[in-house]
Amino acid sequence: MSTIDFDELRSRFHLPQGKVYLDGNSLGALPRYTEERLRELISKEWADELVSGWNTKEWIDLPLSVGDQIASIIGATSGTVVCCDSLSINLFKALTACLEVNEGRGLITLEDGQFPTDSYIADGLSQLLGADRCRTQAVDIAALTPDTLAESAVLLLSHVDYKSGALRDMGAITATAQSAGCLVIWDLAHSAGAIDMDLEASQVDFAVGCTYKFLNGGPGAPGFLYVAERHQEVQNPLPGWMGHARLFDFEAKYEAAPGIKRFLTGTQSVLALSAVSASLSVFEGLTMQDVRARSLALTGHFITRWEQSSVLQSHAALVTPIDDAQRGSQVSLALESAFPVSQALIADGVIVDFREPNIVRFGFSPLYNTFSDADQAIASLEAVLTSERYRLPQFQIRSTVT
Amino acid sequence: MSTIDFDELRSRFHLPQGKVYLDGNSLGALPRYTEERLRELISKEWADELVSGWNTKEWIDLPLSVGDQIASIIGATSGTVVCCDSLSINLFKALTACLEVNEGRGLITLEDGQFPTDSYIADGLSQLLGADRCRTQAVDIAALTPDTLAESAVLLLSHVDYKSGALRDMGAITATAQSAGCLVIWDLAHSAGAIDMDLEASQVDFAVGCTYKFLNGGPGAPGFLYVAERHQEVQNPLPGWMGHARLFDFEAKYEAAPGIKRFLTGTQSVLALSAVSASLSVFEGLTMQDVRARSLALTGHFITRWEQSSVLQSHAALVTPIDDAQRGSQVSLALESAFPVSQALIADGVIVDFREPNIVRFGFSPLYNTFSDADQAIASLEAVLTSERYRLPQFQIRSTVT
């Protein structure tokens, strides 16, 4: 049984008053310690230490030290994760690395309906290198067999699907791919910080992720890159000075640093990385098994409430798997008028989001969401649907970000 | 004559007490307004708006709106600059764009002794694409002629050299390159915010830069990319979802946004970009000609003091051009024992930096440095040299960052 006091854990976050926040799978809430730490960083360190801070405050090590903090959350060993750039940029590095490791194969296999940036980056690489060196194919992940991957250099897929919230079996799919001589890159954007996983035990080759969702690193916080130790000799296609073996020797010739450090490129934002570092400290002392159990309990509770509601049964189809082993940390409902319904919920103080074409996502962040949040969301959704107030004109207007 | 009140301007910055800060060419000082703005961003916007902030606080537009703020400082028009990623990543985008625009030419020409990340990225691109599609050559910039560039797709060079502080003639060199059918990429890392320039009038093709030096955006603040309007139809080799024409439609196929927006890749740090935005507001109401005049007056004053000092004349050679038209915003002195001398100066409260093999850099940030700063630096350097206290053991120890 979990020994975590979830009420106490919740109190460590600043949560918006009078709102039910179910969008931590899009942007995580602000840990109170992060607010405090950033104040210190800005008003003491940047202000007074200035350039000395790179040494005295170990800013220069942040991409690696934050990487190590992330490693402990995703079941990776120290020295295999670097926190830098964006998920998209890190994916570019991982994909070229796979083409190098798996020389002779030029095919990238990804999933039909993958989160867009993943397929855009893969297609962009194909366009840059030319089809003779790199092509992409999109497949139905449910029908994946070793045969499908016989020519693939790498299989790229999301650990948790951003629309349905379906969780994939990391160990089994990795083994299937590798049995066909294919490497794997897991996109952990929707799982890191909410799902227990073990990249080492699953023998994952590469992984990428972001820190602004369940890791609570702040809006647009940096991405991360995991490279299994056995692949750390590959080239970084974006070899900036921060990945050099001796960066302040300013040598004309690039010599890659040993280990994960070579995957760094340019100078990273100390503000952004310090926010991530502070936010990750909230995970200290927790086990990811306990965090995962809480997540399943919350989403399970929400699903039970959906099952018990005749209004919801008739209006909203469950898209997320009911089976615990296949469920991430969000529940997705397919609805007619999903966009205006999401806007009416937000107006009610239940913060959710909409995904094309007809999905409303209810994200549960195990560190701060509660069973009462689930109950309030269900009640609000019932009220929005029965009152039909989602038909009001103001709920039809699309902003840039949905 | 300048109408700027430089004392008032200086008072807008938090400067470390009891120190002479001459390293704003490495990390700019903290504007007081930025401190205030970040407090609001963190404790009000991230905390309470959470995911809604992407719309309500226009976070989603920051890469473009901050880009426009930078544009007005570097003589570019609105819609030609984007602030994102690092200088290194933006350089990768610019280099591949040049190979596309100048199809049929595969040679990248850069300067011998270029800032390392620039040549590493160019060499990395050559390695990725293969020598038949992309090669690099390093040349002596002083001996540059159209003949040297007859086969080059692009000439990449620094507007101000990071070691010597020499300023290049942007208009003349751009014209020389273009007369040979060669495009140009200017690296503005050491000039943006200190030197007046006009990218449009100089017909520059591409430019990259960073915001943590004279633009005071904070440690490791994001880079920027300028793309002349006539080149904005090229591909971004890192086509992430933020560069899509309709990013929240989550389409499977990438369709580049029109204009500069297509050069975006992944989600950007709102903390980092908001700091840049706040810091750039200090430039409002200033003309870059007045800023440049102040910079030249400060560095000129320092050089005069060096000329007047027999101690300095005998120990330290001036590396930076005396001619105003060829001088950036730093003065570099070549010294025996340059590293321990730089450490002894820092211990004296005069914050400078060291660059291999024998250079001490005195950076003057025109917005907040004073003539008295220059006098104190000269006095301190004389004292360090005559006392020989740079020989003390503690000044021989190298930290990671110099």
Side-chain angles (χ1 to χ4, degrees):
Chain A
M1 214 193 110
S2 168
T3 55
I4 303 175
D5 178 348
F6 283 103
D7 289 336
E8 187 278 326
L9 195 52
R10 177 180 164 91
S11 75
R12 292 192 217 163
F13 289 85
H14 179 110
L15 288 160
Q17 285 200 320
K19 286 181 184 166
V20 173
Y21 190 66
L22 293 177
D23 212 8
N25 54 324
S26 186
L27 174 61
L30 172 66
R32 294 182 195 282
Y33 173 63
T34 304
E35 186 177 6
E36 189 185 312
R37 169 70 190 115
L38 285 172
R39 201 178 305 131
E40 182 189 30
L41 172 74
I42 296 159
S43 302
K44 297 224 172 96
E45 298 185 13
W46 176 9
D48 291 326
E49 293 282 318
L50 281 163
V51 73
S52 322
W54 285 106
N55 288 313
T56 57
K57 300 300 170 186
E58 295 170 342
W59 295 342
I60 197 74
D61 298 324
L62 279 169
L64 297 172
S65 61
V66 177
D68 279 347
Q69 288 178 278
I70 295 168
S72 70
I73 293 171
I74 60 173
T77 53
S78 173
T80 60
V81 179
V82 72
C83 187
C84 61
D85 301 319
S86 62
L87 184 153
S88 309
I89 303 281
N90 289 320
L91 179 57
F92 182 82
K93 297 178 204 167
L95 286 169
T96 63
C98 289
L99 296 179
E100 183 185 334
V101 172
N102 224 338
E103 210 194 328
R105 292 191 182 195
L107 186 61
I108 297 169
T109 298
L110 36 75
E111 184 185 0
D112 246 348
Q114 186 98 1
F115 187 81
T117 217
D118 293 30
S119 52
Y120 301 163
I121 291 287
D123 288 338
L125 180 61
S126 167
Q127 194 148 14
L128 182 68
L129 296 183
D132 54 324
R133 284 184 58 199
C134 177
R135 289 161 299 124
T136 66
Q137 68 170 358
V139 300
D140 175 1
I141 201 71
L144 200 73
T145 65
D147 279 355
T148 337
L149 300 170
E151 292 172 32
S152 293
V154 53
L155 170 67
L156 158 63
L157 82 176
S158 293
H159 193 201
V160 170
D161 180 80
Y162 79 103
K163 282 190 178 178
S164 68
L167 171 68
R168 278 66 186 262
D169 186 333
M170 180 181 274
I173 295 176
T174 301
T176 299
Q178 290 173 346
S179 75
C182 174
L183 298 161
V184 291
I185 303 174
W186 285 98
D187 179 336
L188 308 178
H190 289 82
S191 62
I195 316 283
D196 57 324
M197 66 185 93
D198 192 331
L199 296 193
E200 303 293 339
S202 302
Q203 305 225 38
V204 170
D205 297 293
F206 294 86
V208 293
C210 74
T211 61
Y212 48 76
K213 298 179 188 286
F214 296 111
L215 298 176
N216 310 306
F224 65 84
L225 172 66
Y226 163 82
V227 180
E229 226 171 325
R230 63 188 178 281
H231 298 313
Q232 291 186 359
E233 297 295 304
V234 299
Q235 315 268 346
N236 177 355
L238 302 165
W241 69 316
M242 286 291 151
H244 195 281
R246 295 167 300 278
L247 69 161
F248 277 87
D249 283 5
F250 294 101
E251 294 168 16
K253 205 173 138 24
Y254 183 74
E255 185 185 319
I260 191 71
K261 194 178 163 200
R262 70 175 55 193
F263 295 95
L264 294 177
T265 302
T267 313
Q268 296 298 305
S269 165
V270 170
L271 283 174
L273 284 173
S274 298
V276 178
S277 180
S279 292
L280 291 177
S281 69
V282 176
F283 283 86
E284 279 166 24
L286 309 181
T287 73
M288 286 309 296
Q289 287 73 20
D290 286 343
V291 170
R292 169 70 170 149
R294 173 76 171 184
S295 160
L296 282 173
L298 290 166
T299 52
H301 180 78
F302 183 89
I303 289 171
T304 302
R305 289 299 180 123
W306 167 81
E307 286 170 336
Q308 292 165 344
S309 162
S310 57
V311 173
L312 296 193
Q313 287 277 350
S314 64
H315 284 84
L318 185 70
V319 174
T320 305
I322 290 187
D323 180 2
D324 275 9
Q326 294 178 43
R327 195 166 75 242
S329 200
Q330 74 189 48
V331 181
S332 297
L333 297 178
L335 288 148
E336 256 188 77
S337 305
F339 177 74
V341 167
S342 70
Q343 298 308 296
L345 285 170
I346 292 169
D348 254 14
V350 178
I351 314 300
V352 296
D353 65 21
F354 162 78
R355 286 295 172 264
E356 290 286 355
N358 64 343
I359 288 175
V360 179
R361 302 193 307 182
F362 299 81
F364 287 86
S365 206
L367 303 194
Y368 54 77
N369 281 129
T370 63
F371 296 97
S372 158
D373 288 341
D375 293 340
Q376 287 185 59
I378 289 284
S380 182
L381 182 56
E382 282 178 330
V384 163
L385 291 171
T386 50
S387 70
E388 297 193 11
R389 67 171 171 271
Y390 63 87
R391 295 190 192 276
L392 290 170
Q394 69 263 37
F395 299 140
Q396 319 304 316
I397 303 159
R398 299 254 182 143
S399 299
T400 312
V401 177
T402 59
Chain B
M1 214 193 111
S2 168
T3 55
I4 303 175
D5 178 347
F6 283 102
D7 289 336
E8 188 277 327
L9 195 53
R10 177 180 164 91
S11 74
R12 293 192 216 164
F13 289 85
H14 179 109
L15 288 159
Q17 286 201 320
K19 287 181 182 165
V20 172
Y21 191 65
L22 294 176
D23 212 8
N25 54 325
S26 187
L27 174 61
L30 171 66
R32 293 182 195 280
Y33 172 64
T34 304
E35 186 177 7
E36 189 185 313
R37 169 71 189 114
L38 285 172
R39 199 177 307 131
E40 181 189 30
L41 172 75
I42 297 159
S43 302
K44 298 223 172 97
E45 298 185 12
W46 176 8
D48 291 327
E49 294 281 320
L50 281 161
V51 72
S52 322
W54 285 106
N55 287 313
T56 57
K57 300 300 170 186
E58 295 171 341
W59 294 343
I60 198 74
D61 299 324
L62 278 169
L64 297 173
S65 61
V66 177
D68 279 347
Q69 287 179 278
I70 295 168
S72 70
I73 293 170
I74 60 175
T77 55
S78 174
T80 60
V81 179
V82 71
C83 186
C84 60
D85 301 319
S86 62
L87 184 153
S88 308
I89 303 281
N90 289 319
L91 179 57
F92 181 83
K93 297 177 203 166
L95 286 169
T96 63
C98 289
L99 296 180
E100 183 186 332
V101 172
N102 224 338
E103 209 193 327
R105 292 190 183 196
L107 186 60
I108 297 169
T109 297
L110 35 75
E111 184 184 2
D112 246 347
Q114 186 99 359
F115 187 80
T117 218
D118 293 31
S119 51
Y120 301 164
I121 291 287
D123 288 339
L125 180 61
S126 168
Q127 194 147 12
L128 182 68
L129 296 184
D132 53 324
R133 286 184 57 199
C134 176
R135 289 161 299 123
T136 66
Q137 69 170 358
V139 301
D140 175 2
I141 203 71
L144 200 73
T145 65
D147 279 355
T148 336
L149 299 171
E151 291 173 31
S152 293
V154 53
L155 170 67
L156 158 64
L157 81 176
S158 293
H159 194 201
V160 170
D161 181 79
Y162 79 103
K163 283 191 178 178
S164 68
L167 171 68
R168 278 66 187 261
D169 186 333
M170 180 180 275
I173 295 176
T174 299
T176 299
Q178 291 173 346
S179 75
C182 174
L183 298 161
V184 291
I185 302 174
W186 285 98
D187 180 337
L188 308 177
H190 289 82
S191 63
I195 315 282
D196 57 324
M197 66 185 93
D198 192 332
L199 296 193
E200 304 294 339
S202 302
Q203 305 225 37
V204 169
D205 296 293
F206 294 86
V208 293
C210 73
T211 61
Y212 48 76
K213 299 178 188 287
F214 296 112
L215 299 176
N216 310 306
F224 65 85
L225 172 65
Y226 163 82
V227 180
E229 227 170 324
R230 64 188 177 281
H231 298 313
Q232 290 186 358
E233 297 294 305
V234 299
Q235 315 269 343
N236 177 353
L238 302 165
W241 69 316
M242 287 291 152
H244 196 280
R246 295 168 299 277
L247 68 161
F248 276 88
D249 284 3
F250 293 101
E251 295 169 15
K253 205 175 138 21
Y254 183 74
E255 184 186 319
I260 191 71
K261 194 179 164 198
R262 71 175 55 192
F263 295 94
L264 294 177
T265 302
T267 314
Q268 296 299 305
S269 165
V270 170
L271 283 175
L273 284 174
S274 299
V276 178
S277 180
S279 292
L280 291 178
S281 69
V282 176
F283 282 86
E284 280 166 22
L286 308 182
T287 73
M288 287 309 296
Q289 287 74 18
D290 285 344
V291 171
R292 169 68 170 151
R294 174 75 171 185
S295 161
L296 282 172
L298 290 165
T299 52
H301 180 78
F302 183 89
I303 289 171
T304 302
R305 289 300 180 122
W306 167 82
E307 285 170 335
Q308 291 165 344
S309 161
S310 57
V311 173
L312 296 192
Q313 287 277 351
S314 65
H315 284 85
L318 184 70
V319 174
T320 303
I322 290 187
D323 180 1
D324 276 9
Q326 293 177 44
R327 194 165 77 243
S329 200
Q330 75 189 48
V331 181
S332 297
L333 297 178
L335 288 146
E336 255 189 78
S337 306
F339 177 73
V341 166
S342 70
Q343 299 308 295
L345 284 170
I346 292 168
D348 255 13
V350 178
I351 314 301
V352 296
D353 66 20
F354 162 78
R355 286 295 172 261
E356 292 284 355
N358 64 343
I359 288 175
V360 179
R361 301 194 307 183
F362 299 81
F364 287 86
S365 206
L367 303 194
Y368 53 78
N369 281 129
T370 63
F371 296 97
S372 159
D373 289 341
D375 293 340
Q376 287 185 61
I378 288 283
S380 182
L381 183 57
E382 282 179 330
V384 163
L385 291 170
T386 49
S387 69
E388 297 194 11
R389 67 173 171 272
Y390 63 86
R391 295 192 192 275
L392 290 171
Q394 68 264 35
F395 298 140
Q396 320 303 315
I397 303 160
R398 299 253 182 144
S399 300
T400 312
V401 178
T402 58

